[in-house]
Amino acid sequence: MELGEAVKKRRSIHEYEPKLVEEDVLKNIFRTAAWAPTHRMKEPWNVHLYQEKGKERYAEAVLDSYERQGFFQGYDEEKSRQLKKGIGDFLLQIPHHALIYMPKDEDERKFEEDYAAVCAYVQNVQLLAWEAGVGVLWTTSPYLHDPEFAKGVGLDPSFYKLVSVLQIGYPKRIPKAKQRTDIGDKMKVIRT
Ligand SMILES: Cc1cc2nc3c(=O)[nH]c(=O)nc-3n(C[C@H](O)[C@H](O)[C@H](O)COP(=O)(O)O)c2cc1C
């Protein structure tokens, strides 16, 4: 696939076929993505890939976080049980969840460099996945900022920043493209 085509045609995927992506395909995507730019060669990206039974631990940590954040408050017990089940089932039917995280640098400038490198890594993952016929949704939900969620998935929140969770699977439906603003409206060429 030509690069420009992958960049333009890639879409965020919300619905997946109920089957796993082959492990060698996924490993190749995550391995090749590591050619992202990385200042000081820190390669700050790390991945927890949840799939099969492993998704249960992740879904439980998400639900616990929603609970702590009061998401289920104001509902009676039955309604709140239904809401939890709905969210749990939704998460479990997604074939893979990749939690992307990085070590926190105390120096703000270096932290920003690392965060930028991890975002470049994530976009590489998205494009490589697209080329392989695999769909991804880049998500940044509130639980990524919940220290107890980090602990729940075995990560010390004082050491690690949770950057995103990528939902991954073969696309069941590819949404229509949302138009982009012409760059002429956002870019000035300064010649003198
Ligand atoms: C940092 C970041 C966080 C995002 N978080 C979410 C999210 O939590 N949920 C979601 O549905 N989409 C999320 N998206 C995907 C955007 O909504 C999506 O890229 C946008 O609607 C354009 O659609 P496209 O990717 O198909 O071109 C996120 C994208 C980025 C870059």
Side-chain angles (χ1 to χ4, degrees), residues 34 36-47 100-105 110-121 159-161 163:
T38 163
H39 198 26
R40 303 166 215 279
M41 290 309 295
K42 284 171 79 179
E43 303 182 59
W45 43 81
N46 293 273
V47 184
I100 312 291
Y101 63 97
M102 60 180 238
K104 282 180 178 168
D105 198 304
K110 291 180 184 165
F111 182 100
E112 281 186 5
E113 289 166 2
D114 292 345
Y115 184 74
V118 174
C119 290
Y121 177 80
F159 278 104
Y160 293 111
K161 171 168 176 60
V163 176

Side-chain angles (χ1 to χ4, degrees), residues 1-11 127 130-131:
M1 190 181 284
E2 196 246 322
L3 182 59
E5 187 192 347
V7 168
K8 284 171 83 171
K9 294 255 170 81
R10 177 210 57 82
R11 295 278 68 80
L127 293 174
W130 192 254
E131 186 186 41

Side-chain angles (χ1 to χ4, degrees), residues 1-68:
M1 190 181 284
E2 196 246 322
L3 182 59
E5 187 192 347
V7 168
K8 284 171 83 171
K9 294 255 170 81
R10 177 210 57 82
R11 295 278 68 80
S12 294
I13 298 301
H14 297 260
E15 292 170 49
Y16 303 94
E17 295 292 346
K19 66 172 184 175
L20 288 171
V21 178
E22 299 75 5
E23 193 160 324
D24 59 329
V25 172
L26 278 184
K27 282 214 172 131
N28 193 39
I29 289 167
F30 283 104
R31 185 177 291 122
T32 309
W35 289 89
T38 163
H39 198 26
R40 303 166 215 279
M41 290 309 295
K42 284 171 79 179
E43 303 182 59
W45 43 81
N46 293 273
V47 184
H48 275 182
L49 185 62
Y50 297 98
Q51 59 185 57
E52 298 156 290
K53 281 260 175 215
K55 288 187 290 190
E56 287 170 15
R57 179 174 177 199
Y58 164 71
E60 201 178 309
V62 171
L63 286 170
D64 288 349
S65 179
Y66 281 150
E67 179 106 62
R68 274 191 298 279

Side-chain angles (χ1 to χ4, degrees), residues 10-12 14 137-140 178 180:
R10 177 210 57 82
R11 295 278 68 80
S12 294
H14 297 260
L137 180 66
W138 181 341
T139 70
T140 45
K178 296 173 194 162
R180 298 319 202 239

Side-chain angles (χ1 to χ4, degrees), residues 112-156:
E112 281 186 5
E113 289 166 2
D114 292 345
Y115 184 74
V118 174
C119 290
Y121 177 80
V122 169
Q123 180 63 355
N124 274 357
V125 167
Q126 294 213 102
L127 293 174
L128 290 159
W130 192 254
E131 186 186 41
V134 174
V136 177
L137 180 66
W138 181 341
T139 70
T140 45
S141 301
Y143 47 82
L144 295 176
H145 296 276
D146 171 7
E148 293 305 314
F149 172 83
K151 288 183 199 160
V153 295
L155 296 171
D156 181 342

